Amino acid sequence: MSHHAMPPPFDVHDPAGIDDLLSQEEKDVRASVRQLVDQVAQPYVAGWFESGQIDDPRGLMKHFGEMGLLGMHLEGYGCAGMSSVDYGLACIELEACDSGIRSMVSVQGSLAMFAIWRFGSEEQKQEWLPRMATGEAIGCFGLTEPDHGSDPGGMRTRAIRDGDEWILDGRKMWITNGSIADVAVVWAQTDEGIRGFVVPTDTPGFSAPEIKHKMSLRASVTSELVLDGVRLPGDAVFPEVRGLKGPLSCLNEARLGIVWGALGAARSSLDAALSYAGDRVQFGKPIAAYQLTQAKLADMTLELVKGQLLALHLGRRKDAGRIRTEQVSLGKLNNIREALEICRTARTILGANGISLEYPVMRHANNLESVLTYEGTVEMHTLVIGQALTGHAAFR
Ligand code: FAD
């Protein structure tokens, strides 16, 4: 191309021209996920958030399954075998709708399915993965407990052997998809350290009461898991993996989805603020014409663009098999923190309307409070990076 060629026109929706870094196939994945989300979730999601209930979560999961979004970056067993970047692009579109919708898909694919895919026996994989990929079976992932969140090593849920069987007792807390799940991946202490169990939720002694009164992630099912003498066959356990590296490697997998997804909530809030600022007239001019508003919009755009570049870079590294956990922490810490700041700033631009569910901004901001905390809090990721930089672990 001649260096006299005109650059393409400025695109408000891709201000830095990052789409240049995506293949046509990747753009197609993004477009088809956006189209599906616009059909099956976007028109209803504010209502689900308000009522604290998704109308038909099983039906919604099946829509996502039909599109190949469940375990989409896993190979075999009916999974789509796509790249990490494809998965990230899907997460942006899902979370531009609502973080709860993205959580539903992430927990199914990156936590429950990934755990079985990575650590399960061949029988466990055959039994669950194909049905989970279509959305016929829903999964959840139980690590957190009422008294053990950031420090899950001290968990109290316990599995003991009884002849050929296992008996599980304990409680898990804040478990996404818990009350609608057909299968729960549950991490428990055993005589050989922490091990993972595949628990069909119709096993006697298992129950999953829903957690109500949430102010965040209201369009998402969050539950307690109660395990009261749950008796499982000997082969319900993941055969090899022992210790915290099992659950932590699953979280690392899911975090990459958040690195991208959070930017979807931010993008949606920025879009809303931009459009509102253009329409809203005060002191005789659209508020978009004032320098203070423009400074906000410019700063939000900068952070969104930087976050997108970081997500894409980390996604490419993941696809090349070169990503480290510290790098995932860099991405999660930066992108969720900046996404939340973008939503809060967008909220100010909308004035009083910013607090209304008529606009997506406050819903996104409230949702991101959960995303800030789950899959490793801001403080935990700061400590991971701090340790990588200094060589000193400051967790305890
Ligand atoms: P705590 O660990 O008690 O932390 C409280 C505060 O203390 C935080 O700010 C934390 O960063 C800080 N802190 C803790 N230790 C230190 C330290 N050493 N130094 C400095 N600061 C520290 N869990 C699952 O297993 N599965 C799920 O599907 C799931 N879904 C969730 C959905 C929602 C909506 C929410 C809100 C949570 C979900 N979680 C899930 C739980 C989530 O992973 C935990 O909330 C998270 O790990 C934090 O644990 P905690 O809430 O017990 O906070």
Side-chain angles (χ1 to χ4, degrees), residues 322-340:
R322 286 165 48 77
I323 196 149
R324 295 194 50 86
T325 54
E326 298 86 344
Q327 294 164 341
V328 178
S329 286
L330 287 174
K332 204 241 170 189
L333 178 56
N334 182 75
N335 285 12
I336 178 60
R337 193 159 72 182
E338 298 307 329
L340 185 54

Side-chain angles (χ1 to χ4, degrees), residues 139-190:
C140 68
F141 182 90
L143 177 63
T144 305
E145 298 189 352
D147 296 330
H148 296 91
S150 300
D151 181 19
M155 68 174 66
R156 285 217 285 263
T157 298
R158 194 157 178 88
I160 54 166
R161 281 186 194 273
D162 183 32
D164 285 346
E165 297 180 325
W166 290 96
I167 302 175
L168 264 68
D169 281 287
R171 262 173 82 199
K172 297 289 175 182
M173 194 65 184
W174 301 110
I175 306 306
T176 304
N177 294 348
S179 312
I180 54 170
D182 302 285
V183 59
V185 170
V186 174
W187 300 92
Q189 300 281 5
T190 73

Side-chain angles (χ1 to χ4, degrees), residues 249-294:
S249 67
C250 300
L251 292 172
N252 218 36
E253 191 72 15
R255 271 173 202 142
L256 212 51
I258 298 178
V259 171
W260 291 83
L263 301 173
R267 185 190 77 195
S268 165
S269 296
L270 174 57
D271 284 350
L274 199 52
S275 132
Y276 190 87
D279 291 342
R280 176 71 173 171
V281 174
Q282 288 293 287
F283 299 98
K285 280 199 289 190
I287 58 171
Y290 295 115
Q291 291 180 349
L292 290 177
T293 313
Q294 291 189 4

Side-chain angles (χ1 to χ4, degrees), residues 128 138 140 178 180-184 199-204 206-208 225:
W128 290 107
I138 296 180
C140 68
I180 54 170
D182 302 285
V183 59
V199 184
T201 57
D202 57 6
T203 312
F206 181 98
S207 60
L225 304 185

Side-chain angles (χ1 to χ4, degrees), residues 107 111 140-151 172-177 214 216-217 220 222 251 369-371 373-380 383 394-396:
V107 166
L111 288 178
C140 68
F141 182 90
L143 177 63
T144 305
E145 298 189 352
D147 296 330
H148 296 91
S150 300
D151 181 19
K172 297 289 175 182
M173 194 65 184
W174 301 110
I175 306 306
T176 304
N177 294 348
K214 291 179 297 174
S216 172
L217 238 65
S220 171
T222 316
L251 292 172
E369 294 290 345
S370 289
V371 183
T373 287
Y374 71 26
E375 311 242 353
T377 63
V378 162
E379 293 77 13
M380 291 301 114
L383 294 176
F395 293 91
R396 56 186 87 238

Side-chain angles (χ1 to χ4, degrees), residues 43-326:
Y44 317 109
V45 75
W48 297 338
F49 185 98
E50 187 158 29
S51 65
Q53 203 167 2
I54 299 174
D55 281 348
D56 176 17
R58 300 195 76 88
L60 191 61
M61 195 69 105
K62 283 191 188 142
H63 282 303
F64 295 140
E66 277 161 26
M67 171 130 267
L69 295 183
L70 305 176
M72 72 184 275
H73 60 306
L74 305 179
E75 293 277 350
Y77 306 96
C79 304
M82 298 178 81
S83 71
S84 176
V85 169
D86 288 325
Y87 174 57
L89 292 166
C91 286
I92 291 199
E93 296 311 317
L94 292 163
E95 197 148 355
C97 174
D98 191 276
S99 304
I101 305 301
R102 199 267 308 138
S103 300
M104 181 184 205
V105 171
S106 293
V107 166
Q108 173 86 351
S110 291
L111 288 178
M113 290 175 73
F114 178 79
I116 296 172
W117 182 86
R118 175 76 181 76
F119 299 119
S121 64
E122 191 52 35
E123 294 72 37
Q124 289 164 346
K125 293 180 197 182
Q126 297 283 359
E127 180 176 2
W128 290 107
L129 293 179
R131 283 193 286 149
M132 292 172 85
T134 59
E136 278 162 76
I138 296 180
C140 68
F141 182 90
L143 177 63
T144 305
E145 298 189 352
D147 296 330
H148 296 91
S150 300
D151 181 19
M155 68 174 66
R156 285 217 285 263
T157 298
R158 194 157 178 88
I160 54 166
R161 281 186 194 273
D162 183 32
D164 285 346
E165 297 180 325
W166 290 96
I167 302 175
L168 264 68
D169 281 287
R171 262 173 82 199
K172 297 289 175 182
M173 194 65 184
W174 301 110
I175 306 306
T176 304
N177 294 348
S179 312
I180 54 170
D182 302 285
V183 59
V185 170
V186 174
W187 300 92
Q189 300 281 5
T190 73
D191 288 342
E192 306 149 342
I194 291 171
R195 299 189 70 179
F197 293 83
V198 179
V199 184
T201 57
D202 57 6
T203 312
F206 181 98
S207 60
E210 192 167 349
I211 298 174
K212 296 286 186 187
H213 312 297
K214 291 179 297 174
M215 299 290 282
S216 172
L217 238 65
R218 291 177 56 77
S220 171
V221 175
T222 316
S223 316
E224 221 180 301
L225 304 185
V226 180
L227 299 128
D228 192 4
V230 172
R231 190 173 277 276
L232 298 171
D235 62 3
V237 69
F238 290 149
E240 301 291 337
V241 69
R242 305 276 196 286
L244 270 183
K245 69 176 183 296
L248 295 189
S249 67
C250 300
L251 292 172
N252 218 36
E253 191 72 15
R255 271 173 202 142
L256 212 51
I258 298 178
V259 171
W260 291 83
L263 301 173
R267 185 190 77 195
S268 165
S269 296
L270 174 57
D271 284 350
L274 199 52
S275 132
Y276 190 87
D279 291 342
R280 176 71 173 171
V281 174
Q282 288 293 287
F283 299 98
K285 280 199 289 190
I287 58 171
Y290 295 115
Q291 291 180 349
L292 290 177
T293 313
Q294 291 189 4
K296 289 179 188 174
L297 293 168
D299 282 343
M300 292 156 85
T301 301
L302 277 183
E303 292 307 331
L304 185 60
V305 163
K306 289 192 269 183
Q308 286 168 338
L309 285 171
L310 182 56
L312 183 57
H313 170 66
L314 295 177
R316 297 275 186 237
R317 270 190 94 91
K318 164 85 173 153
D319 284 330
R322 286 165 48 77
I323 196 149
R324 295 194 50 86
T325 54
E326 298 86 344

